Amino acid sequence: MTAAWTWNYGEYDPKTEQVAETLCTLGNGRFATRGSAPECRADSVHYPGTYLAGCYDRLTSGVAGRQVENEDMVNLPNWTLLRYRCLPEGGSPGEWLTPDSEDLKRYRVSLDLRAGVLTHRLLFQDAEGRGLRVTHHRIVHMGNPRLAAQRSLFRAYGWKGTLEIESVLDGAVSNAGVERYRELDGHHLKAHRTGSEPGGIAWLTCRTAESDVRVALAARTQTAPSVPVVDGHDATTAVQRYALPMSPGGSATVTKTIALHTSRDRPVDDPLAAAVDDVSHAPGFSALLASHRSSWQRLWHEAELHVPGRAGHILRLHLFHLLQTLSAHSAELDVGVPARGLHGEAYRGHVFWDELFVLPYVTMHFPEVARALLMYRYRRLPAARAAARQAGSAGAMYPWQSASSGREETQSLHLNPRSGRWLPDHSHLQRHVGSAIALNVWRYAQATGDRGFLHSAGAEIVLEVARYWADAVTFDQGRRRYRLRGVVGPDEYHDAYPDAESPGIDDNAYTNLTAAWVMARGLDLLDELPDARCRELMEQLSLDSTERDRWDDISHRMYVPFHQGAVSQFESYGRLEELDWAGYRRRYGDIRRLDRILETEGDTVNRYQASKQADTLMLGYLFRPTDLAALFARLGYRLDDEVWRDTVEYYARRTSHGSTLSSLVHGWVLAREKGPEAWSYVEEALLSDVADTQGGTTGEGIHLGAMAGTLDMVQRGITGLEAGAEGLRVDPVVLPEIPRFSFTLCFQGHRGIRIRMLPGRIGISVPTSSLGPLVVLLPGERRVTVPAGGERWFRFP
C-alpha cells in the first residue's frame, strides 16, 4: 500500500479532531459511521455519529419566540464505543483512557482508501513507565451493508495485571453535531430497550420519535484470551464488561461485530430478530475484512481514476467518500443525494441541488445508482405537484430542501453565528432546483441511452417542471418578454431588493435561462416520444396543444437582463452599490461569509454587487460555449466570446466564494476560457474539505457536491467530454497542473471505456463487446469511431 492510498493524521489535535472524524468516516451507501476514536463519547471535541441513508425524523422546537419544525437525518446509537483502563497488580484502577488522557504519548490515525479500513494507534505511558499500546481497526462492510466490525489489539509494557474493558452500544445520543442547531430539539430516539443473547451478543432497540422508524443494533463481542462477560445494561445503553489478564509484552484482542437493521429494510422483518441472527452468523474479523477488501477492489475497478501527485491523492479521497455515500447499495434504497454525505448533521442531512454536481460522475460509472437517485425525485413528484398547486401554479415545484416525503424542508429561520441572531430564511424561493432535476434526467438519458426511463418517469418529471415554469412566468407587455419574479438564485446572498417589503428578486438570469431550457427540452421530448406514449402522457397530464404552443413561445421570449456589457445576475443588479472589497478583506481577512459579516454590522448584502457564488457563471458550468450561445440565440440575445469574457471577469471581481461550489464553478469556467487563474480556483475546490477552508464546516460533514465536482472536473471539465445521443463529444483544454491522467467510464451500454490524457494527446480505448464502435465527436464536428476492442489517439492544441 502506497502513500497515495492512505490518509493520515500523525498527532492528536483537539482543534481539528472533528474534521479528521469527518474525513475518516466509513460507509457503504446504506449507513456510515464517523471516524471518531472508539474511546470517546460526544463532547466538545469528539462527535461519534452513525447515520442511515434516508432515516429522518421531525421535531418541533421553540426558537426566538416561534415554534419551528425541522426534519433531521437521525444520529443513531454509537456502536463503536469501547472503554478500557489498566488495573496493575497491587494497584487501583486508573481512569478510562482516551486521546485526551495526560498519559497519551502517541496518536496516529490512518485511513486505507484502497480497502476501506480505518486504523487508530495510541500509546499510553504513565509516570512510572507502565505503557499500553492500542490499535483499533474498523470497517463498515461494503459487501454486506448491514454489518460493521472493530478489532482492538492491546499490548502491555512494564506491568502485569488486568485490563478492564467495556464494550458499549450507546443509545443515549442526540443530534448535537452542529453548534448552530443546538437550540433545536435533537432527541430523535425513544423507547430504548437493551438485552443479551447467548454467544456474547448484546442488543439495543429504539425508535424515532415521530417517523417511527424502528432501529435494532446487535453486537457480538469476542475476546482473546476468552473471558466471561458481565452484562451491565441500563435503559438506553447495553454494556458488556470483561477483565483481561495482561503481562509485560503480553497482548489481548477485543473484536466487536455489529448488525444494524431497521423497519425500513426490505423485505420487512423484525429488526431485532434480524440483527441478532445476522450478527450470530457473521464470520470472524479476518474473514469479514477479506470479503470487505474484495468488495472495495471491485468498486475501485469500476471507478478507476489515476491522477498523479498531490491533486490525485485528494481526488482519491473525494472519490472514496462519494463511493461510501452512494454505492450500489444505495440503488436498493429510496434515497436522494445528501448534500453533506452520511458524514455529519449539517444541512440536517437534506437533499438540495447538489446532485447537479454529483450525478455526472455517478452516471458515467454507476448508471444503476444514478437511475435510483432520479427515482427518488420521481417518487416525490406528487409532493412537488401539491406544492405547485398550493403556490397557485400548475406542474411540479420541487423543494429547495427535500428529505423523506418530498415536502419543502427549508427552515423558516437561520442563525447567524457571528451576531447570534435568528433571521428569516427565504432560501425556499430557489425554484431553480426543478430545472436541475430535469437537466439530470435529460443528461442521464443521453449518457446511458436509457430511453425507457426517459419516456416514463423521466418524461413526467421534465414535462411537469416545464409546465410549472410556463405557469410561473408573467408577460411584460412593455418588453414583450416573459419574466420570473420573486425568486432566489443559487447565489443565496440576494433574497430581496434593498428596503423591499417582500422577499425575492426578479429575473435571475440562471433561473430564467434554465427554465427556458427545460421548456425547450419538454418540446423535444414530446416530439421524440412514440405516438402512443405521447398520447398517453398528454391525457395523463391533461396537457394539450395550447400548452405546447405556450412553452414554445416562452422558450423563445424569456427575459434575460444585461448591464455594462455583461449578463446581469438579476434585474437591477447593476444598480446595487459597489462593495469596498479591499476594505473588508483588511478588516476581516476571510470574507467568504460576507452576508454574516454585514448582518452583524447592521447592514445587508442585498445592497451590494456581491455574490456568495456567481450563479450567472453556473451557465458556463452547465453548458458548452456553443450550446450556451445557442440557448441565448433561441431567446433572441447575442452571447459571443467577448460578452461571455466580460461576464466572467465582472463576477470574478465580485464573488466572495461563500460556497464550496463557487470555486469549483470558477475553476471550470476559467479552464474552458484558458484563464491563468483557473488552477487557483480548482485547487481551492480540492482543498475545501481537507483544509476546512470554510472555517469549521467540514467537521459537520463533507461537501459532497464539491468533492464529486472535482472528480467531474477531471472527467468532463479538462477533457471537454460531453455525452450525447449522437456520440461522445471530446474537446480537451490544457490545465498545466494536471497534464496527464486516466479514468474509465460507461457510455450507452459500453462499460470500461478508458480515457487517457497526455500533453497534447488524448487516447480512447473501448473494450470488446457486441455493441459495435464508439462514436466520438472531436472539435470542428469531426466524427470518428473507435472500434470495440480498439484504441485511437487524437491530438489537440
Side-chain angles (χ1 to χ4, degrees):
M1 185 174 65
T2 65
W5 284 94
T6 60
W7 196 259
N8 296 312
Y9 293 91
E11 60 184 8
Y12 177 61
D13 184 353
K15 295 178 182 176
T16 60
E17 182 68 5
Q18 288 195 16
V19 172
E21 291 175 351
T22 297
L23 295 179
C24 290
T25 294
L26 297 179
N28 57 26
R30 178 177 178 264
F31 79 97
T33 294
R34 285 170 58 85
S36 56
E39 296 83 0
C40 301
R41 284 188 163 98
D43 57 24
S44 60
V45 174
H46 310 278
Y47 195 72
T50 292
Y51 307 98
L52 178 75
C55 182
Y56 293 98
D57 188 58
R58 189 182 306 279
L59 293 175
T60 300
S61 308
V63 177
R66 295 170 57 178
Q67 293 297 107
V68 176
E69 190 179 274
N70 287 291
E71 188 174 48
D72 295 83
M73 182 172 69
V74 179
N75 181 21
L76 298 181
N78 176 18
W79 65 269
T80 67
L81 186 58
L82 190 79
R83 307 210 308 164
Y84 50 88
R85 59 185 176 183
C86 302
L87 178 57
E89 280 188 345
S92 57
E95 296 182 353
W96 298 108
L97 295 171
T98 74
D100 302 290
S101 300
E102 292 183 0
D103 290 343
L104 181 72
K105 302 304 178 186
R106 293 181 195 166
Y107 182 82
R108 182 176 177 84
V109 180
S110 180
L111 176 61
D112 178 353
L113 303 175
R114 192 193 303 272
V117 179
L118 176 63
T119 302
H120 286 83
R121 292 183 172 89
L122 305 89
L123 175 63
F124 301 95
Q125 190 173 55
D126 64 16
E128 299 179 33
R130 295 175 296 197
L132 181 70
R133 188 181 299 276
V134 185
T135 304
H136 306 287
H137 298 292
R138 181 186 302 166
I139 61 172
V140 173
H141 206 279
M142 187 55 81
N144 185 331
R146 292 172 173 82
L147 293 181
Q150 182 173 275
R151 182 173 64 187
S152 303
L153 174 66
F154 302 90
R155 189 174 297 276
Y157 295 94
W159 65 279
K160 181 180 180 181
T162 302
L163 184 66
E164 294 186 357
I165 298 283
E166 288 190 351
S167 178
V168 184
L169 293 176
D170 184 7
V173 300
S174 64
N175 277 50
V178 179
E179 185 175 358
R180 60 188 177 279
Y181 300 165
R182 288 178 188 164
E183 290 187 41
L184 307 174
D185 189 353
H187 295 88
H188 291 282
L189 300 179
K190 67 175 186 179
H192 295 75
R193 293 172 54 231
T194 58
S196 300
E197 301 292 333
I201 295 173
W203 53 262
L204 182 153
T205 66
C206 54
R207 63 180 61 212
T208 56
E210 190 273 341
S211 57
D212 201 34
V213 176
R214 289 174 292 140
V215 178
L217 275 166
R220 183 187 68 198
T221 302
Q222 299 169 305
T223 66
S226 179
V227 296
V229 58
V230 177
D231 293 332
H233 312 325
D234 62 27
T236 61
T237 306
V239 181
Q240 296 169 291
R241 297 190 175 99
Y242 304 87
L244 298 174
M246 302 294 287
S247 59
S251 64
T253 302
V254 178
T255 303
K256 188 176 184 180
T257 306
I258 69 103
L260 170 62
H261 284 252
T262 78
S263 55
R264 287 175 51 87
D265 295 339
R266 294 181 295 181
V268 177
D269 201 351
D270 173 38
L272 176 57
V276 170
D277 183 67
D278 223 6
V279 82
S280 298
H281 294 93
F285 188 85
S286 295
L288 276 176
L289 180 59
S291 58
H292 174 68
R293 286 179 182 273
S294 296
S295 297
W296 266 107
Q297 185 177 12
R298 291 190 296 271
L299 202 53
W300 281 118
H301 178 73
E302 294 183 68
E304 182 181 342
L305 173 69
H306 295 288
V307 178
R310 178 169 173 256
H313 190 202
I314 297 172
L315 285 165
R316 187 168 283 124
L317 177 75
H318 287 183
L319 180 51
F320 177 77
H321 286 299
L322 176 62
L323 297 176
Q324 293 194 121
T325 306
L326 303 170
S327 76
H329 303 302
S330 307
E332 304 170 9
L333 308 173
D334 179 31
V335 297
V337 178
R340 304 300 286 271
L342 300 174
H343 297 61
E345 295 161 15
Y347 301 166
R348 301 180 176 86
H350 291 173
V351 177
F352 292 69
W353 73 324
D354 299 64
E355 62 208 60
L356 191 61
F357 300 86
V358 174
L359 281 184
Y361 186 87
V362 174
T363 297
M364 287 189 164
H365 293 270
F366 305 97
E368 297 83 3
V369 176
R371 192 182 199 275
L373 296 171
L374 291 172
M375 286 302 295
Y376 165 87
R377 292 296 194 177
Y378 176 69
R379 294 188 191 98
R380 284 148 187 82
L381 187 56
R385 288 172 172 143
R389 286 196 304 271
Q390 188 174 358
S393 296
M397 186 179 78
Y398 277 96
W400 174 234
Q401 296 186 34
S402 177
S404 60
S405 67
R407 58 174 273 188
E408 179 63 77
E409 299 295 349
T410 303
Q411 62 270 28
S412 58
L413 297 174
H414 70 269
L415 176 69
N416 179 354
R418 277 184 173 269
S419 67
R421 287 189 284 266
W422 287 90
L423 307 167
D425 191 317
H426 302 302
S427 57
H428 68 279
L429 295 174
Q430 293 189 74
R431 309 302 189 199
H432 60 83
V433 66
S435 295
I437 295 167
L439 183 72
N440 285 330
V441 166
W442 189 265
R443 290 191 167 172
Y444 164 80
Q446 298 290 87
T448 63
D450 187 353
R451 313 316 277 183
F453 174 81
L454 181 62
H455 293 174
S456 55
E460 287 191 55
I461 292 173
V462 173
L463 297 177
E464 288 289 67
V465 172
R467 172 178 262 176
Y468 168 73
W469 286 130
D471 211 39
V473 300
T474 57
F475 187 67
D476 187 323
Q477 289 286 355
R479 288 189 170 93
R480 307 298 298 170
R481 291 276 183 178
Y482 292 93
R483 306 182 64 186
L484 277 168
R485 301 178 183 272
V487 301
V488 171
D491 166 47
E492 291 188 321
Y493 271 3
H494 296 91
D495 64 357
Y497 286 104
D499 304 318
E501 294 183 0
S502 58
I505 47 90
D506 300 334
D507 301 306
N508 174 255
Y510 174 85
T511 304
N512 285 19
L513 280 154
T514 54
W517 183 91
V518 172
M519 284 180 273
R521 296 295 75 74
L523 294 168
D524 292 343
L525 184 52
L526 289 171
D527 290 339
E528 174 188 318
L529 288 169
D531 288 344
R533 176 57 178 157
C534 186
R535 288 194 300 271
E536 179 186 29
L537 260 180
M538 291 187 72
E539 181 178 343
Q540 177 186 337
L541 303 180
S542 301
L543 182 65
D544 57 30
S545 59
T546 303
E547 280 195 82
R548 293 179 67 166
D549 292 342
R550 179 171 169 80
W551 294 4
D552 185 63
D553 189 40
I554 296 170
S555 67
H556 282 90
R557 291 204 286 166
M558 185 73 85
Y559 174 60
V560 179
F562 288 77
H563 73 280
Q564 297 180 28
V567 181
S568 295
Q569 186 163 301
F570 53 83
E571 176 67 6
S572 300
Y573 182 86
R575 298 177 187 173
L576 300 178
E577 297 178 36
E578 290 283 9
L579 184 78
D580 179 10
W581 290 91
Y584 272 89
R585 287 192 174 99
R586 281 195 304 270
R587 290 164 60 190
Y588 293 98
D590 185 350
I591 60 168
R592 288 182 177 90
R593 291 312 305 264
L594 184 63
D595 57 332
R596 293 175 175 174
I597 291 172
L598 289 170
E599 193 279 328
T600 302
E601 293 182 345
D603 202 349
T604 173
V605 76
N606 283 329
R607 294 178 49 214
Y608 300 100
Q609 295 181 47
S611 299
K612 178 181 181 183
Q613 52 190 19
D615 50 33
T616 305
L617 301 193
M618 270 293 300
L619 297 166
Y621 172 77
L622 291 183
F623 303 109
R624 295 185 308 123
T626 54
D627 293 340
L628 186 57
L631 179 56
F632 272 82
R634 180 186 178 97
L635 294 169
Y637 296 105
R638 179 178 63 88
L639 185 75
D640 56 22
D641 291 345
E642 181 181 357
V643 173
W644 182 243
R645 277 196 302 269
D646 289 345
T647 300
V648 172
E649 291 175 4
Y650 185 88
Y651 291 104
R653 298 193 301 269
R654 294 170 173 85
T655 303
S656 72
H657 303 292
S659 163
T660 55
L661 298 171
S662 181
S663 54
L664 171 69
V665 170
H666 275 71
W668 183 292
V669 169
L670 287 172
R672 302 304 301 176
E673 290 291 307
K674 300 178 175 59
E677 307 93 348
W679 176 248
S680 65
Y681 289 111
V682 173
E683 186 176 40
E684 183 170 340
L686 284 169
L687 294 174
S688 59
D689 271 330
V690 301
D692 194 20
T693 59
Q694 296 285 324
T697 63
T698 301
E700 304 166 350
I702 61 169
H703 296 83
L704 190 64
M707 283 191 170
T710 59
L711 298 168
D712 197 39
M713 180 72 198
V714 174
Q715 176 177 269
R716 293 192 309 127
I718 302 175
T719 61
L721 187 150
E722 198 72 34
E726 69 282 5
L728 195 63
R729 189 178 298 275
V730 178
D731 185 10
V733 297
V734 176
L735 191 61
E737 293 79 4
I738 307 182
R740 59 185 70 231
F741 55 85
S742 67
F743 59 90
T744 58
L745 57 84
C746 305
F747 175 67
Q748 294 188 358
H750 290 281
R751 288 184 177 262
I753 298 171
R754 182 182 297 279
I755 308 291
R756 284 192 284 176
M757 187 91 162
L758 298 175
R761 294 194 303 154
I762 185 168
I764 302 175
S765 61
V766 180
T768 302
S769 75
S770 60
L771 293 173
L774 172 71
V775 176
V776 178
L777 299 172
L778 300 173
E781 300 303 311
R782 180 184 167 204
R783 187 176 186 273
V784 299
T785 59
V786 182
E791 180 179 44
R792 292 193 65 177
W793 285 84
F794 309 99
R795 294 193 175 276
F796 62 90

